[in-house]
């Protein structure tokens, strides 16, 4: 394809430097990204929750992000990674582990699931470093900037894509991000948001994509039609040559986006793709919808869009714009609920909500930006309040562990599994090292909904833990520290506390359990 229109704006941010060696810190809070607001196709196929309910860690380098992934108990253990500072080639190395598959020079989310990456504090910038999602599911990327990722020249990363997804990816929500380049293919850049090779159930919301030759694509070739079910809403596409986005096969829902200065073409539906295009605002642009650069047609259903100073070329050969008066040539059924803002207020709403470091503001469908749900901690808060219950306020009722049985995976000399259910704070169990597990068990099924982990004097601290239904292996809760742990009421015969990291050697005086 011809990409002759030079991108006229330079990147808005200069390259930064960060001096942290590893940049990884464990927080005492649990998940603090605002995950309740997921919308669009990412709500389907079981939904997208990312690392909700998992441990929260803070990272200031790319190596630390990889280390957080590799330190999990498994490749599917939920985790929220709060990122602050500049992530670049100099601080992003490969880390090895059984729960990860990383690489240097790129943030690699490969063969994993249940992960949230969220910018916090003064912001997170991935500078000349892309985010690659491959063979993974249930991923959230929120409140970050990814800029100037190159496929040629130096340095290169992620094939030149700011965010790229491929090979069996499912359920990804990218929200309140800023994705930008400083030119087109001739300057070494590729796409800002690419999906290919069987990527499905994705939402891109409240994001800015700008200053690039290519906005993004669904499908790498006319034969790559296994992708789809993608929602684009409340995004700003600005100073983009083409691919806003390019659709090859599959279904896309495109609503309430502001398109400004699309230099060659915009929504390019081709190779059998079907796009529902609702209440968007197209401004100062060319050929914003149609089938371009191919003879294999795509289709669209249009309603409520505004075309402000949009020019349309003539239909000829493989150039088939939908205008100057776009009409629907297919129908698309949307399976989820959504509320449309009127197209005439889209530029104002998007300018106040889209992009990183906007406070995660969203639209309520009445052209009025809203703050995120107050029950969702603000990820821009550099020190969110811990969500762990107060360990000095134990549950009321009968401690079900008293008189129950106990066992475990390891124990230090001079300690006993039974000490965790004897009601005596001066006796304790310790693992033979910093990690291990201890269980409380009953002869018949017992309903439990809370645990209270009480440490003995001189104990090390618990860095991270999981509470398991030992009967089924299901994770009931995960987090860090000690104290009260709540979870859904569960009938079981054996409950296990698994310590996966610690500072020093923990001394578990009591593993109390309660029905309510």
């Amino acid at each position: 394809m011809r990409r002759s229109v030079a991108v006229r704006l330079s990147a808005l941010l200069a390259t930064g430097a960060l001096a942290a060696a590893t940049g990884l810190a464990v927080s005492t809070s649990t998940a603090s990204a605002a995950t309740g607001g997921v919308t669009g196709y990412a709500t389907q196929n079981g939904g997208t929750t990312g690392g909700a309910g998992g441990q929260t860690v803070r990272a200031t380098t790319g190596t630390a992000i990889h280390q957080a992934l590799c330190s999990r108990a498994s490749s599917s253990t939920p985790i929220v990674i709060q990122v602050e500072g500049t992530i670049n080639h100099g601080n992003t190395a490969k880390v090895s582990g059984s729960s990860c598959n990383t690489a240097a020079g790129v943030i690699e989310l490969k063969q994993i699931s249940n992960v949230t990456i969220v910018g916090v504090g003064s912001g997170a910038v991935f500078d000349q470093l892309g985010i690659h999602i491959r063979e993974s599911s249930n991923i959230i990327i929120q409140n970050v900037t990814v800029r100037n990722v190159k496929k040629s020249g130096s340095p290169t990363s992620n094939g030149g894509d700011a965010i790229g997804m491929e090979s069996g990816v499912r359920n990804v929500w990218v929200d309140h991000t800023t994705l930008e380049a400083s030119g087109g293919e001739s300057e070494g850049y590729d796409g800002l948001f690419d999906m290919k090779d069987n990527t499905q159930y994705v939402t891109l919301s409240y994001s800015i994509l700008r200053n690039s030759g290519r906005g993004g694509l669904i499908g790498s070739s006319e034969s790559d039609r296994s992708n789809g079910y993608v929602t684009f809403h409340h995004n700003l596409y600005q100073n983009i040559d083409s691919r806003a986005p390019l659709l090859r096969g599959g279904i896309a829902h495109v609503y309430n986006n502001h398109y400004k200065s699309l230099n060659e073409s915009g929504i390019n539906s081709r190779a059998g793709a079907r796009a529902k295009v609702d209440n968007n605002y197209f401004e100062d642009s060319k050929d914003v919808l149609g089938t371009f650069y191919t003879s294999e047609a795509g289709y669209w259903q249009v309603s409520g869009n505004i075309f402000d100073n949009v020019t349309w070329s003539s239909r000829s050969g493989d150039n088939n714009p939908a205008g100057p008066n776009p009409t629907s040539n297919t129908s698309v059924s949307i399976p989820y609920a959504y509320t449309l803002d009127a197209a005439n207020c889209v530029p104002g709403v998007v300018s106040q909500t889209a992009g990183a470091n906007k406070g995660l503001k969203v639209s309520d469908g009445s052209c009025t930006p809203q703050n995120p749900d107050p029950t969702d901690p603000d990820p821009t808060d550099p020190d969110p309040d811990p969500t762990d219950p107060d360990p000095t306020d134990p549950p009321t009722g009968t401690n079900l562990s008293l008189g129950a049985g106990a066992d475990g995976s390891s124990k230090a000399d001079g300690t006993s599994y039974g000490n965790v259910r004897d009601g005596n704070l001066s006796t304790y169990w310790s693992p033979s090292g910093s990690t291990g597990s201890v269980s409380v068990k009953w002869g018949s099924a017992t309903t439990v909904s809370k645990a209270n982990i009480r440490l003995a004097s001189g104990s090390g601290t618990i860095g991270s833990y999981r509470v398991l239904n030992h009967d089924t292996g299901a994770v009931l809760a995960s987090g860090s520290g000690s104290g009260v742990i709540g979870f859904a009421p569960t009938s079981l015969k054996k409950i296990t506390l698994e310590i996966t990291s610690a500072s020093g050697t923990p001394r578990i005086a009591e593993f109390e359990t309660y029905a309510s």
Side-chain angles (χ1 to χ4, degrees):
M1 296 182 211
R2 184 175 63 88
R3 291 291 178 269
S4 61
V5 179
V7 176
R8 293 177 284 276
L9 299 178
S10 62
L12 301 179
L13 301 172
T15 301
L18 195 67
T22 61
L24 175 64
V26 177
S27 169
T28 58
S29 65
T30 54
S32 60
T35 59
V38 62
T39 52
Y41 273 114
T43 65
Q44 305 298 289
N45 191 44
T48 304
T49 58
Q55 180 187 4
T56 295
V57 301
R58 183 71 64 94
T60 57
T61 69
T63 303
I65 293 173
H66 286 161
Q67 183 63 54
L69 296 172
C70 296
S71 297
R72 296 184 296 162
S74 73
S75 62
S76 61
T77 301
I79 190 168
V80 175
I81 305 173
Q82 297 178 335
V83 182
E84 184 174 17
T86 300
I87 311 301
N88 55 35
H89 284 74
N91 62 35
T92 302
K94 174 183 174 65
V95 178
S96 298
S98 60
S99 61
C100 65
N101 189 348
T102 70
V106 62
I107 297 302
E108 190 79 306
L109 308 181
K110 183 177 181 181
Q111 297 167 342
I112 62 174
S113 60
N114 309 326
V115 173
T116 293
I117 294 177
V118 56
V120 298
S122 60
V125 177
F126 295 78
D127 184 51
Q128 303 183 77
L129 195 82
I131 299 175
H132 185 208
I133 306 172
R134 183 183 179 94
E135 300 174 68
S136 295
S137 64
N138 195 24
I139 306 294
I140 293 174
I141 299 172
Q142 192 172 49
N143 201 46
V144 303
T145 294
V146 187
R147 68 187 187 199
N148 294 335
V149 181
K150 286 190 171 184
K151 69 175 183 177
S152 62
S154 180
T156 61
S157 177
N158 198 31
D161 296 336
I163 296 178
M165 290 162 268
E166 61 182 306
S167 301
V169 172
R170 293 290 186 274
N171 290 87
V172 177
W173 180 34
V174 177
D175 177 66
H176 285 90
T177 63
T178 299
L179 311 178
E180 57 190 5
S182 295
E185 188 175 20
S186 61
E187 288 81 23
Y189 305 99
D190 197 8
L192 295 177
F193 193 71
D194 280 11
M195 293 156 278
K196 54 190 177 182
D197 189 17
N198 195 21
T199 294
Q200 298 180 359
Y201 301 106
V202 176
T203 295
L204 175 66
S205 58
Y206 298 102
S207 291
I208 295 172
L209 297 87
R210 62 187 172 199
N211 305 338
S212 177
R214 297 169 173 175
L217 57 75
I218 302 175
S220 60
S221 67
E222 305 299 74
S223 61
D224 182 14
R225 304 189 185 192
S226 57
N227 311 280
Y229 307 116
V230 182
T231 301
F232 304 84
H233 75 89
H234 292 93
N235 303 299
L236 170 65
Y237 285 80
Q238 183 174 26
N239 195 28
I240 301 290
D241 284 350
S242 64
R243 302 187 181 183
L246 185 157
L247 315 170
R248 291 178 169 118
I251 293 174
H253 188 196
V254 185
Y255 72 91
N256 282 154
N257 300 287
H258 183 198
Y259 294 92
K260 188 178 177 74
S261 299
L262 302 182
N263 302 316
E264 293 185 10
S265 62
I267 302 169
N268 184 356
S269 180
R270 55 197 271 187
R274 294 189 297 141
K276 184 170 173 59
V277 183
D278 296 329
N279 289 33
N280 299 281
Y281 195 102
F282 299 93
E283 180 179 5
D284 299 336
S285 297
K286 176 185 177 184
D287 287 346
V288 297
L289 174 65
T291 296
F292 306 102
Y293 322 117
T294 183
S295 60
E296 297 193 39
Y299 308 95
W300 44 84
Q301 179 181 352
V302 293
S303 65
N305 301 289
I306 291 178
F307 302 94
D308 179 3
N309 192 33
V310 171
T311 60
W312 301 90
S313 60
S314 300
R315 296 186 179 185
S316 176
D318 62 3
N319 189 65
N320 289 281
N325 296 301
T327 57
S328 300
N329 56 17
T330 191
S331 62
V332 180
S333 176
I334 301 300
Y336 51 81
Y338 63 100
T339 304
L340 290 170
D341 285 305
N344 60 5
C345 72
V346 163
V349 168
V350 169
S351 70
Q352 296 176 72
T353 58
N357 304 316
K358 292 285 187 71
L360 299 183
K361 290 183 177 180
V362 299
S363 172
D364 65 353
S366 63
C367 299
T368 304
Q370 304 288 315
N371 289 319
D373 188 332
T375 62
D376 290 327
D378 182 358
T380 64
D381 180 356
D383 187 22
D385 292 334
T387 57
D388 287 337
D390 184 355
T392 65
D393 184 21
T396 58
T398 301
N399 174 11
L400 302 173
S401 299
L402 294 174
D407 59 24
S409 65
S410 69
K411 59 182 176 181
D413 290 344
T415 72
S416 170
Y417 301 125
N419 288 339
V420 303
R421 44 77 172 160
D422 63 1
N424 186 348
L425 291 177
S426 65
T427 64
Y428 57 87
W429 162 83
S430 287
S432 56
S434 59
T435 63
S437 65
V438 63
S439 302
V440 172
K441 57 186 179 180
W442 298 270
S444 58
T446 300
T447 298
V448 180
S449 67
K450 289 182 181 178
N452 188 22
I453 307 304
R454 307 181 71 178
L455 301 180
S457 176
S459 173
T461 59
I462 300 173
S464 60
Y465 66 77
R466 300 195 304 168
V467 176
L468 307 174
N469 177 347
H470 197 93
D471 304 348
T472 65
V475 178
L476 302 176
S478 60
S480 59
S482 57
V484 179
I485 304 166
F487 42 87
T490 304
S491 178
L492 44 73
K493 291 186 177 181
K494 186 175 180 179
I495 186 169
T496 297
L497 171 67
E498 180 183 61
I499 299 172
T500 55
S501 69
S503 176
T505 300
R507 296 180 175 181
I508 309 301
E510 293 298 306
F511 180 7
E512 300 174 350
T513 53
Y514 297 86
S516 63

